[in-house]
Amino acid sequence: MLGYTTIGTKDLEKAAAFYDALLGPIGGKQLMGLEHIKFYGTDAGGAMLAICTPADKGEQSTGNGQMIAIPGGSPEGAEALYNKAIELGATCEGAPGQRLPFFYGAYVRDLDGNKIAFYHMTQA
């Protein structure tokens, strides 16, 4: 159902280095890219995350209520992604932990302030 989602950045080179390092351990890589946009995923036929400088050349801003959720594969995987993001300069928006009986999550803001959740759905 989801093809790709795009988030903005003020500095594409810096953002690409962040996402290269963050997504690499879970099989994510740049699948395609142009001067102003990079697409990440595990294969071109699957869902992708794109980072870009705004097409209108205006100022990048984060969407209020907008969040990207990346599965960790396990609670430990979600925590590892959270720790890697923090190591790469992200800021904490919610430490790793069980949020609901069936949902383990951790939250950060990337270098541009975009909110990211790392999660694992557990059995209820």
Side-chain angles (χ1 to χ4, degrees), residues 2-3 31 42-48:
L2 180 65
L31 297 175
T42 54
D43 65 74
M48 294 181 288

Side-chain angles (χ1 to χ4, degrees), residues 8-56:
T9 181
K10 296 175 180 113
D11 184 332
L12 188 60
E13 185 177 315
K14 195 173 181 180
F18 177 88
Y19 283 100
D20 287 347
L22 179 65
L23 300 176
I26 59 169
K29 61 184 179 259
Q30 285 188 41
L31 297 175
M32 58 184 142
L34 302 169
E35 184 178 310
H36 71 286
I37 191 166
K38 310 281 184 205
F39 290 84
Y40 288 85
T42 54
D43 65 74
M48 294 181 288
L49 169 65
I51 57 172
C52 73
T53 53
D56 67 2

Side-chain angles (χ1 to χ4, degrees), residues 22 25-26 70-87 94-99 104-108 117-120:
L22 179 65
I26 59 169
I70 299 172
S74 67
E76 297 79 16
E79 186 169 346
L81 285 167
Y82 168 87
N83 289 333
K84 183 67 172 180
I86 295 296
E87 174 189 315
Q98 198 73 37
R99 303 287 192 243
Y104 184 93
Y107 303 88
V108 300
F118 304 114
Y119 75 97
H120 180 68

Side-chain angles (χ1 to χ4, degrees), residues 7-8 18-19 22 60-68 81-82 84-95 106-118:
I7 55 176
F18 177 88
Y19 283 100
L22 179 65
Q60 178 272 343
S61 63
T62 58
N64 188 20
Q66 171 186 327
M67 181 173 66
I68 305 302
L81 285 167
Y82 168 87
K84 183 67 172 180
I86 295 296
E87 174 189 315
L88 293 167
T91 56
C92 177
E93 281 286 314
Y107 303 88
V108 300
R109 290 212 181 255
D110 74 4
L111 306 178
D112 289 294
N114 297 299
K115 192 170 182 182
I116 305 169
F118 304 114

